[in-house]
Amino acid sequence: MPLLKLLHFMALICWCGALLYLPAMIATGSRSNDGLFYRDHAYLTRMVFNLLATPAALLAIGSGTVLFLRESIFAPWLIIKLTTVAGMVLCHALCGVLILRIDRVAEPALRRDCVLIGLLLTSLIGATLWLVLAKPF
């Protein structure tokens, strides 16, 4: 059980870190006029999304599901926490959409969307952390 919790925490740290970093990467890549920089940056952004953020998200969600099923925890705070995690998943998907739209959208609209997703992610991660730390034992 402690190893499963450690796996869950490590996956969450990687996922949340990548989620906070992705909107900034997307916004930064949309500002450059240099073709070589843009190509390399777009490739790196896709690699972070596909090889770091998404596997970490799947691992965090899977290990968290096993944890609460194994412990038979079905409390109201858990439902609220899972709702905030679902919001994080939606923001993860929106980052993927922005990565796909990076070639077609004007730069100001893309940066505005990145700022909004970044602010929403910050509040969702903070709310999730607060719910976990404030849970009744």
Side-chain angles (χ1 to χ4, degrees):
M1 182 66 133
L3 290 178
L4 185 60
K5 283 185 180 183
L6 180 64
L7 175 70
H8 182 62
F9 292 148
M10 288 179 6
L12 274 173
I13 289 169
C14 288
W15 183 36
C16 291
L19 277 181
L20 291 173
Y21 188 57
L22 274 170
M25 281 185 82
I26 296 166
T28 301
S30 68
R31 284 190 293 178
S32 178
N33 293 328
D34 182 17
L36 182 61
F37 172 80
Y38 175 76
R39 188 191 70 216
D40 291 342
H41 191 272
Y43 177 74
L44 181 63
T45 304
R46 284 183 174 87
M47 294 297 279
V48 167
F49 183 81
N50 290 330
L51 298 179
L52 180 69
T54 302
L58 293 173
L59 199 55
I61 292 168
S63 61
T65 303
V66 171
L67 279 171
F68 86 79
L69 288 176
R70 188 163 189 239
E71 294 289 320
S72 298
I73 302 172
F74 297 102
W77 69 267
L78 180 67
I79 303 303
I80 298 169
K81 183 186 92 104
L82 292 177
T83 304
T84 61
V85 172
M88 289 168 54
V89 170
L90 287 175
C91 288
H92 181 99
L94 287 174
C95 283
V97 169
L98 286 180
I99 290 171
L100 293 175
R101 285 182 37 198
I102 200 167
D103 293 330
R104 296 176 285 160
V105 176
E107 152 185 350
L110 192 62
R111 277 193 260 149
R112 183 193 67 230
D113 293 344
C114 289
V115 168
L116 291 175
I117 289 174
L119 291 173
L120 182 59
L121 278 167
T122 303
S123 63
L124 286 171
I125 291 170
T128 304
L129 184 61
W130 182 81
L131 284 165
V132 169
L133 294 176
K135 74 177 179 180
F137 289 100

